[in-house]
Amino acid sequence: DAKTTQPPSMDCAEGRAANLPCNHSTISGNEYVYWYRQIHSQGPQYIIHGLKNNETNEMASLIITEDRKSSTLILPHATLRDTAVYYCIVRVAGTGANNLFFGTGTRLTVIP
Amino acid sequence: DAGVTQSPTHLIKTRGQQVTLRCSPKSGHDTVSWYQQALGQGPQFIFQYYEEEERQRGNFPDRFSGHQFPNYSSELNVNALLLGDSALYLCASSLVRGFTEAFFGQGTRLTVV
């Protein structure tokens, strides 16, 4: 699976959009971009995934560049409960929980 | 519908001892993966079990072993504990076929003293 690069930390004001970037320049054609987050002392939680089209669900939006070498996770109206470490992972779809490479992620702090 | 459940939540062991951690997957899931998360680091893949066999393994010594039962639940065993084994141990479940995202449990916090 391709490796990713994320900034170690970011701050966001409560109620504003949080934009979390991820670089994955070595992504392969059959690899998807997945985002998970981990709130302190809890297990990681799935947020969203995509291949090349932009995706949106009830939690977030995922914007993938046309060359697929980078992506941005958008939390449209950040709340204090969104403070967490966010992990960007690229992998082939359909392999479930097998051998996910988390890296160190981005620690997002939402400020009141 | 219960998610992934792990037990115990916290555990303190002495160096050299053995420990067993337990995981029940999300209902309907047949595959269990185990991860180790040291303080300040992202989770690292230990191994995955499907059909009661270890299918893939990360870069962990054979002091780490596991088992999957017919009901899909799983155990992680660690022998000859080292201080460096202190970590949060996470269990994740999924389906082996078709797309499903991984569902993680809350983890077991192991402290080796």
Side-chain angles (χ1 to χ4, degrees), chain B residues 10-38:
Chain B
H10 294 83
L11 200 55
I12 300 175
K13 288 288 189 178
T14 302
R15 189 172 48 183
Q17 284 188 315
Q18 178 265 344
V19 67
T20 297
L21 310 181
R22 296 175 176 81
C23 172
S24 293
K26 180 179 170 60
S27 177
H29 283 181
D30 55 9
T31 302
V32 172
S33 298
W34 287 91
Y35 287 79
Q36 180 195 66
Q37 186 173 23

PDB file of all heavy atoms in Angstrom, chain B residues 10-38:
ATOM      1  N   HIS B  10      -8.348  -2.586  30.692  1.00  0.00           N
ATOM      2  CA  HIS B  10      -7.022  -2.252  31.214  1.00  0.00           C
ATOM      3  C   HIS B  10      -6.412  -3.486  31.853  1.00  0.00           C
ATOM      4  O   HIS B  10      -7.140  -4.333  32.396  1.00  0.00           O
ATOM      5  CB  HIS B  10      -7.095  -1.136  32.269  1.00  0.00           C
ATOM      6  CG  HIS B  10      -7.544   0.174  31.727  1.00  0.00           C
ATOM      7  ND1 HIS B  10      -8.874   0.495  31.558  1.00  0.00           N
ATOM      8  CD2 HIS B  10      -6.839   1.259  31.313  1.00  0.00           C
ATOM      9  CE1 HIS B  10      -8.979   1.713  31.066  1.00  0.00           C
ATOM     10  NE2 HIS B  10      -7.766   2.202  30.910  1.00  0.00           N
ATOM     11  N   LEU B  11      -5.084  -3.549  31.809  1.00  0.00           N
ATOM     12  CA  LEU B  11      -4.387  -4.720  32.332  1.00  0.00           C
ATOM     13  C   LEU B  11      -2.972  -4.299  32.716  1.00  0.00           C
ATOM     14  O   LEU B  11      -2.312  -3.581  31.967  1.00  0.00           O
ATOM     15  CB  LEU B  11      -4.333  -5.795  31.251  1.00  0.00           C
ATOM     16  CG  LEU B  11      -4.097  -7.255  31.593  1.00  0.00           C
ATOM     17  CD1 LEU B  11      -5.109  -7.736  32.616  1.00  0.00           C
ATOM     18  CD2 LEU B  11      -4.204  -8.083  30.322  1.00  0.00           C
ATOM     19  N   ILE B  12      -2.532  -4.771  33.875  1.00  0.00           N
ATOM     20  CA  ILE B  12      -1.149  -4.543  34.298  1.00  0.00           C
ATOM     21  C   ILE B  12      -0.485  -5.895  34.497  1.00  0.00           C
ATOM     22  O   ILE B  12      -1.013  -6.747  35.204  1.00  0.00           O
ATOM     23  CB  ILE B  12      -1.075  -3.720  35.596  1.00  0.00           C
ATOM     24  CG1 ILE B  12      -1.727  -2.353  35.390  1.00  0.00           C
ATOM     25  CG2 ILE B  12       0.384  -3.557  36.056  1.00  0.00           C
ATOM     26  CD1 ILE B  12      -1.812  -1.522  36.654  1.00  0.00           C
ATOM     27  N   LYS B  13       0.657  -6.091  33.844  1.00  0.00           N
ATOM     28  CA  LYS B  13       1.391  -7.350  33.930  1.00  0.00           C
ATOM     29  C   LYS B  13       2.850  -7.064  34.264  1.00  0.00           C
ATOM     30  O   LYS B  13       3.357  -5.954  34.039  1.00  0.00           O
ATOM     31  CB  LYS B  13       1.314  -8.104  32.601  1.00  0.00           C
ATOM     32  CG  LYS B  13      -0.044  -8.713  32.298  1.00  0.00           C
ATOM     33  CD  LYS B  13      -0.298  -9.907  33.198  1.00  0.00           C
ATOM     34  CE  LYS B  13      -1.529 -10.662  32.783  1.00  0.00           C
ATOM     35  NZ  LYS B  13      -1.750 -11.867  33.635  1.00  0.00           N
ATOM     36  N   THR B  14       3.521  -8.087  34.756  1.00  0.00           N
ATOM     37  CA  THR B  14       4.930  -7.986  35.092  1.00  0.00           C
ATOM     38  C   THR B  14       5.769  -8.509  33.931  1.00  0.00           C
ATOM     39  O   THR B  14       5.368  -9.465  33.252  1.00  0.00           O
ATOM     40  CB  THR B  14       5.228  -8.773  36.368  1.00  0.00           C
ATOM     41  OG1 THR B  14       4.413  -8.261  37.437  1.00  0.00           O
ATOM     42  CG2 THR B  14       6.695  -8.661  36.760  1.00  0.00           C
ATOM     43  N   ARG B  15       6.903  -7.905  33.737  1.00  0.00           N
ATOM     44  CA  ARG B  15       7.836  -8.351  32.690  1.00  0.00           C
ATOM     45  C   ARG B  15       8.074  -9.864  32.804  1.00  0.00           C
ATOM     46  O   ARG B  15       8.273 -10.392  33.908  1.00  0.00           O
ATOM     47  CB  ARG B  15       9.158  -7.599  32.851  1.00  0.00           C
ATOM     48  CG  ARG B  15      10.151  -7.792  31.736  1.00  0.00           C
ATOM     49  CD  ARG B  15      11.321  -6.868  31.899  1.00  0.00           C
ATOM     50  NE  ARG B  15      11.861  -6.870  33.256  1.00  0.00           N
ATOM     51  CZ  ARG B  15      12.844  -6.095  33.663  1.00  0.00           C
ATOM     52  NH1 ARG B  15      13.389  -5.220  32.841  1.00  0.00           N
ATOM     53  NH2 ARG B  15      13.281  -6.158  34.903  1.00  0.00           N
ATOM     54  N   GLY B  16       8.035 -10.547  31.651  1.00  0.00           N
ATOM     55  CA  GLY B  16       8.233 -11.978  31.612  1.00  0.00           C
ATOM     56  C   GLY B  16       6.956 -12.795  31.671  1.00  0.00           C
ATOM     57  O   GLY B  16       6.957 -13.987  31.306  1.00  0.00           O
ATOM     58  N   GLN B  17       5.866 -12.165  32.094  1.00  0.00           N
ATOM     59  CA  GLN B  17       4.589 -12.883  32.163  1.00  0.00           C
ATOM     60  C   GLN B  17       3.976 -13.035  30.774  1.00  0.00           C
ATOM     61  O   GLN B  17       4.482 -12.520  29.768  1.00  0.00           O
ATOM     62  CB  GLN B  17       3.618 -12.134  33.088  1.00  0.00           C
ATOM     63  CG  GLN B  17       3.904 -12.302  34.556  1.00  0.00           C
ATOM     64  CD  GLN B  17       2.793 -11.710  35.412  1.00  0.00           C
ATOM     65  OE1 GLN B  17       2.309 -10.588  35.153  1.00  0.00           O
ATOM     66  NE2 GLN B  17       2.371 -12.438  36.438  1.00  0.00           N
ATOM     67  N   GLN B  18       2.848 -13.740  30.736  1.00  0.00           N
ATOM     68  CA  GLN B  18       2.090 -13.936  29.514  1.00  0.00           C
ATOM     69  C   GLN B  18       0.731 -13.266  29.673  1.00  0.00           C
ATOM     70  O   GLN B  18       0.205 -13.165  30.791  1.00  0.00           O
ATOM     71  CB  GLN B  18       1.923 -15.444  29.256  1.00  0.00           C
ATOM     72  CG  GLN B  18       1.105 -15.801  28.030  1.00  0.00           C
ATOM     73  CD  GLN B  18      -0.370 -16.056  28.339  1.00  0.00           C
ATOM     74  OE1 GLN B  18      -0.741 -16.256  29.479  1.00  0.00           O
ATOM     75  NE2 GLN B  18      -1.190 -16.006  27.308  1.00  0.00           N
ATOM     76  N   VAL B  19       0.151 -12.807  28.541  1.00  0.00           N
ATOM     77  CA  VAL B  19      -1.146 -12.134  28.620  1.00  0.00           C
ATOM     78  C   VAL B  19      -2.027 -12.595  27.458  1.00  0.00           C
ATOM     79  O   VAL B  19      -1.521 -12.946  26.373  1.00  0.00           O
ATOM     80  CB  VAL B  19      -0.970 -10.602  28.574  1.00  0.00           C
ATOM     81  CG1 VAL B  19      -0.459 -10.127  27.214  1.00  0.00           C
ATOM     82  CG2 VAL B  19      -2.263  -9.888  28.928  1.00  0.00           C
ATOM     83  N   THR B  20      -3.317 -12.648  27.712  1.00  0.00           N
ATOM     84  CA  THR B  20      -4.311 -12.971  26.675  1.00  0.00           C
ATOM     85  C   THR B  20      -5.355 -11.877  26.618  1.00  0.00           C
ATOM     86  O   THR B  20      -5.944 -11.525  27.643  1.00  0.00           O
ATOM     87  CB  THR B  20      -5.006 -14.311  26.975  1.00  0.00           C
ATOM     88  OG1 THR B  20      -4.029 -15.358  26.948  1.00  0.00           O
ATOM     89  CG2 THR B  20      -6.074 -14.605  25.925  1.00  0.00           C
ATOM     90  N   LEU B  21      -5.548 -11.334  25.430  1.00  0.00           N
ATOM     91  CA  LEU B  21      -6.554 -10.308  25.194  1.00  0.00           C
ATOM     92  C   LEU B  21      -7.636 -10.896  24.303  1.00  0.00           C
ATOM     93  O   LEU B  21      -7.359 -11.732  23.440  1.00  0.00           O
ATOM     94  CB  LEU B  21      -5.924  -9.089  24.522  1.00  0.00           C
ATOM     95  CG  LEU B  21      -4.642  -8.539  25.175  1.00  0.00           C
ATOM     96  CD1 LEU B  21      -4.157  -7.324  24.401  1.00  0.00           C
ATOM     97  CD2 LEU B  21      -4.851  -8.214  26.627  1.00  0.00           C
ATOM     98  N   ARG B  22      -8.857 -10.419  24.479  1.00  0.00           N
ATOM     99  CA  ARG B  22      -9.994 -11.008  23.784  1.00  0.00           C
ATOM    100  C   ARG B  22     -10.760  -9.982  22.957  1.00  0.00           C
ATOM    101  O   ARG B  22     -10.825  -8.810  23.318  1.00  0.00           O
ATOM    102  CB  ARG B  22     -10.926 -11.697  24.769  1.00  0.00           C
ATOM    103  CG  ARG B  22     -10.260 -12.893  25.463  1.00  0.00           C
ATOM    104  CD  ARG B  22     -11.122 -13.528  26.525  1.00  0.00           C
ATOM    105  NE  ARG B  22     -10.463 -14.707  27.073  1.00  0.00           N
ATOM    106  CZ  ARG B  22      -9.518 -14.683  28.004  1.00  0.00           C
ATOM    107  NH1 ARG B  22      -9.125 -13.529  28.520  1.00  0.00           N
ATOM    108  NH2 ARG B  22      -8.968 -15.811  28.433  1.00  0.00           N
ATOM    109  N   CYS B  23     -11.373 -10.475  21.865  1.00  0.00           N
ATOM    110  CA  CYS B  23     -12.096  -9.608  20.947  1.00  0.00           C
ATOM    111  C   CYS B  23     -13.296 -10.344  20.372  1.00  0.00           C
ATOM    112  O   CYS B  23     -13.178 -11.481  19.921  1.00  0.00           O
ATOM    113  CB  CYS B  23     -11.169  -9.167  19.811  1.00  0.00           C
ATOM    114  SG  CYS B  23     -11.987  -8.275  18.466  1.00  0.00           S
ATOM    115  N   SER B  24     -14.434  -9.677  20.392  1.00  0.00           N
ATOM    116  CA  SER B  24     -15.620 -10.173  19.699  1.00  0.00           C
ATOM    117  C   SER B  24     -15.915  -9.241  18.540  1.00  0.00           C
ATOM    118  O   SER B  24     -16.099  -8.028  18.755  1.00  0.00           O
ATOM    119  CB  SER B  24     -16.819 -10.232  20.641  1.00  0.00           C
ATOM    120  OG  SER B  24     -16.635 -11.207  21.633  1.00  0.00           O
ATOM    121  N   PRO B  25     -15.979  -9.759  17.315  1.00  0.00           N
ATOM    122  CA  PRO B  25     -16.166  -8.869  16.155  1.00  0.00           C
ATOM    123  C   PRO B  25     -17.590  -8.342  16.074  1.00  0.00           C
ATOM    124  O   PRO B  25     -18.500  -8.839  16.741  1.00  0.00           O
ATOM    125  CB  PRO B  25     -15.854  -9.778  14.973  1.00  0.00           C
ATOM    126  CG  PRO B  25     -16.195 -11.154  15.457  1.00  0.00           C
ATOM    127  CD  PRO B  25     -15.848 -11.161  16.911  1.00  0.00           C
ATOM    128  N   LYS B  26     -17.757  -7.341  15.244  1.00  0.00           N
ATOM    129  CA  LYS B  26     -19.089  -6.811  14.955  1.00  0.00           C
ATOM    130  C   LYS B  26     -19.941  -7.930  14.363  1.00  0.00           C
ATOM    131  O   LYS B  26     -19.446  -8.771  13.595  1.00  0.00           O
ATOM    132  CB  LYS B  26     -18.967  -5.655  13.974  1.00  0.00           C
ATOM    133  CG  LYS B  26     -20.269  -4.988  13.563  1.00  0.00           C
ATOM    134  CD  LYS B  26     -19.981  -3.840  12.617  1.00  0.00           C
ATOM    135  CE  LYS B  26     -21.255  -3.290  11.972  1.00  0.00           C
ATOM    136  NZ  LYS B  26     -22.217  -2.774  12.957  1.00  0.00           N
ATOM    137  N   SER B  27     -21.222  -7.929  14.700  1.00  0.00           N
ATOM    138  CA  SER B  27     -22.121  -8.953  14.212  1.00  0.00           C
ATOM    139  C   SER B  27     -22.080  -9.031  12.685  1.00  0.00           C
ATOM    140  O   SER B  27     -22.172  -8.016  11.991  1.00  0.00           O
ATOM    141  CB  SER B  27     -23.549  -8.641  14.674  1.00  0.00           C
ATOM    142  OG  SER B  27     -24.456  -9.585  14.165  1.00  0.00           O
ATOM    143  N   GLY B  28     -21.914 -10.243  12.165  1.00  0.00           N
ATOM    144  CA  GLY B  28     -21.879 -10.442  10.718  1.00  0.00           C
ATOM    145  C   GLY B  28     -20.484 -10.414  10.123  1.00  0.00           C
ATOM    146  O   GLY B  28     -20.297 -10.800   8.969  1.00  0.00           O
ATOM    147  N   HIS B  29     -19.508  -9.968  10.885  1.00  0.00           N
ATOM    148  CA  HIS B  29     -18.133  -9.924  10.389  1.00  0.00           C
ATOM    149  C   HIS B  29     -17.423 -11.243  10.648  1.00  0.00           C
ATOM    150  O   HIS B  29     -17.673 -11.912  11.656  1.00  0.00           O
ATOM    151  CB  HIS B  29     -17.361  -8.790  11.035  1.00  0.00           C
ATOM    152  CG  HIS B  29     -17.695  -7.442  10.476  1.00  0.00           C
ATOM    153  ND1 HIS B  29     -17.083  -6.284  10.912  1.00  0.00           N
ATOM    154  CD2 HIS B  29     -18.567  -7.069   9.503  1.00  0.00           C
ATOM    155  CE1 HIS B  29     -17.575  -5.262  10.238  1.00  0.00           C
ATOM    156  NE2 HIS B  29     -18.486  -5.701   9.392  1.00  0.00           N
ATOM    157  N   ASP B  30     -16.510 -11.630   9.726  1.00  0.00           N
ATOM    158  CA  ASP B  30     -15.851 -12.925   9.853  1.00  0.00           C
ATOM    159  C   ASP B  30     -14.327 -12.818   9.969  1.00  0.00           C
ATOM    160  O   ASP B  30     -13.652 -13.830  10.078  1.00  0.00           O
ATOM    161  CB  ASP B  30     -16.214 -13.804   8.650  1.00  0.00           C
ATOM    162  CG  ASP B  30     -15.901 -13.157   7.296  1.00  0.00           C
ATOM    163  OD1 ASP B  30     -15.250 -12.098   7.273  1.00  0.00           O
ATOM    164  OD2 ASP B  30     -16.330 -13.721   6.279  1.00  0.00           O
ATOM    165  N   THR B  31     -13.805 -11.613   9.939  1.00  0.00           N
ATOM    166  CA  THR B  31     -12.359 -11.415   9.942  1.00  0.00           C
ATOM    167  C   THR B  31     -11.963 -10.493  11.075  1.00  0.00           C
ATOM    168  O   THR B  31     -12.616  -9.464  11.299  1.00  0.00           O
ATOM    169  CB  THR B  31     -11.911 -10.793   8.598  1.00  0.00           C
ATOM    170  OG1 THR B  31     -12.307 -11.648   7.536  1.00  0.00           O
ATOM    171  CG2 THR B  31     -10.406 -10.626   8.559  1.00  0.00           C
ATOM    172  N   VAL B  32     -10.912 -10.859  11.777  1.00  0.00           N
ATOM    173  CA  VAL B  32     -10.422 -10.053  12.895  1.00  0.00           C
ATOM    174  C   VAL B  32      -8.949  -9.722  12.670  1.00  0.00           C
ATOM    175  O   VAL B  32      -8.152 -10.608  12.335  1.00  0.00           O
ATOM    176  CB  VAL B  32     -10.591 -10.804  14.231  1.00  0.00           C
ATOM    177  CG1 VAL B  32      -9.903 -10.026  15.354  1.00  0.00           C
ATOM    178  CG2 VAL B  32     -12.066 -11.001  14.552  1.00  0.00           C
ATOM    179  N   SER B  33      -8.615  -8.462  12.859  1.00  0.00           N
ATOM    180  CA  SER B  33      -7.222  -8.011  12.790  1.00  0.00           C
ATOM    181  C   SER B  33      -6.835  -7.385  14.113  1.00  0.00           C
ATOM    182  O   SER B  33      -7.672  -6.760  14.770  1.00  0.00           O
ATOM    183  CB  SER B  33      -7.038  -6.983  11.657  1.00  0.00           C
ATOM    184  OG  SER B  33      -7.341  -7.556  10.410  1.00  0.00           O
ATOM    185  N   TRP B  34      -5.575  -7.531  14.475  1.00  0.00           N
ATOM    186  CA  TRP B  34      -5.070  -6.955  15.719  1.00  0.00           C
ATOM    187  C   TRP B  34      -4.015  -5.909  15.407  1.00  0.00           C
ATOM    188  O   TRP B  34      -3.185  -6.080  14.500  1.00  0.00           O
ATOM    189  CB  TRP B  34      -4.459  -8.045  16.605  1.00  0.00           C
ATOM    190  CG  TRP B  34      -5.471  -8.944  17.254  1.00  0.00           C
ATOM    191  CD1 TRP B  34      -5.963 -10.122  16.770  1.00  0.00           C
ATOM    192  CD2 TRP B  34      -6.116  -8.736  18.515  1.00  0.00           C
ATOM    193  NE1 TRP B  34      -6.868 -10.655  17.653  1.00  0.00           N
ATOM    194  CE2 TRP B  34      -6.975  -9.831  18.733  1.00  0.00           C
ATOM    195  CE3 TRP B  34      -6.036  -7.741  19.494  1.00  0.00           C
ATOM    196  CZ2 TRP B  34      -7.762  -9.959  19.886  1.00  0.00           C
ATOM    197  CZ3 TRP B  34      -6.810  -7.861  20.637  1.00  0.00           C
ATOM    198  CH2 TRP B  34      -7.661  -8.957  20.833  1.00  0.00           C
ATOM    199  N   TYR B  35      -4.033  -4.834  16.195  1.00  0.00           N
ATOM    200  CA  TYR B  35      -3.097  -3.741  16.042  1.00  0.00           C
ATOM    201  C   TYR B  35      -2.515  -3.369  17.400  1.00  0.00           C
ATOM    202  O   TYR B  35      -3.203  -3.461  18.425  1.00  0.00           O
ATOM    203  CB  TYR B  35      -3.786  -2.501  15.447  1.00  0.00           C
ATOM    204  CG  TYR B  35      -4.114  -2.633  13.980  1.00  0.00           C
ATOM    205  CD1 TYR B  35      -5.220  -3.357  13.552  1.00  0.00           C
ATOM    206  CD2 TYR B  35      -3.308  -2.032  13.015  1.00  0.00           C
ATOM    207  CE1 TYR B  35      -5.514  -3.490  12.209  1.00  0.00           C
ATOM    208  CE2 TYR B  35      -3.604  -2.143  11.658  1.00  0.00           C
ATOM    209  CZ  TYR B  35      -4.697  -2.879  11.262  1.00  0.00           C
ATOM    210  OH  TYR B  35      -4.987  -3.011   9.924  1.00  0.00           O
ATOM    211  N   GLN B  36      -1.255  -2.904  17.384  1.00  0.00           N
ATOM    212  CA  GLN B  36      -0.605  -2.384  18.573  1.00  0.00           C
ATOM    213  C   GLN B  36      -0.381  -0.891  18.388  1.00  0.00           C
ATOM    214  O   GLN B  36       0.109  -0.461  17.344  1.00  0.00           O
ATOM    215  CB  GLN B  36       0.749  -3.069  18.798  1.00  0.00           C
ATOM    216  CG  GLN B  36       1.497  -2.573  20.025  1.00  0.00           C
ATOM    217  CD  GLN B  36       2.957  -2.990  20.014  1.00  0.00           C
ATOM    218  OE1 GLN B  36       3.741  -2.560  19.163  1.00  0.00           O
ATOM    219  NE2 GLN B  36       3.350  -3.830  20.969  1.00  0.00           N
ATOM    220  N   GLN B  37      -0.743  -0.095  19.388  1.00  0.00           N
ATOM    221  CA  GLN B  37      -0.557   1.346  19.296  1.00  0.00           C
ATOM    222  C   GLN B  37       0.247   1.830  20.493  1.00  0.00           C
ATOM    223  O   GLN B  37      -0.274   1.906  21.612  1.00  0.00           O
ATOM    224  CB  GLN B  37      -1.890   2.081  19.212  1.00  0.00           C
ATOM    225  CG  GLN B  37      -1.723   3.577  18.974  1.00  0.00           C
ATOM    226  CD  GLN B  37      -3.035   4.287  18.720  1.00  0.00           C
ATOM    227  OE1 GLN B  37      -4.105   3.826  19.114  1.00  0.00           O
ATOM    228  NE2 GLN B  37      -2.989   5.418  18.028  1.00  0.00           N
ATOM    229  N   ALA B  38       1.511   2.157  20.250  1.00  0.00           N
ATOM    230  CA  ALA B  38       2.339   2.748  21.301  1.00  0.00           C
ATOM    231  C   ALA B  38       1.948   4.202  21.487  1.00  0.00           C
ATOM    232  O   ALA B  38       1.355   4.834  20.604  1.00  0.00           O
ATOM    233  CB  ALA B  38       3.805   2.623  20.924  1.00  0.00           C
TER     234      ALA B  38
END
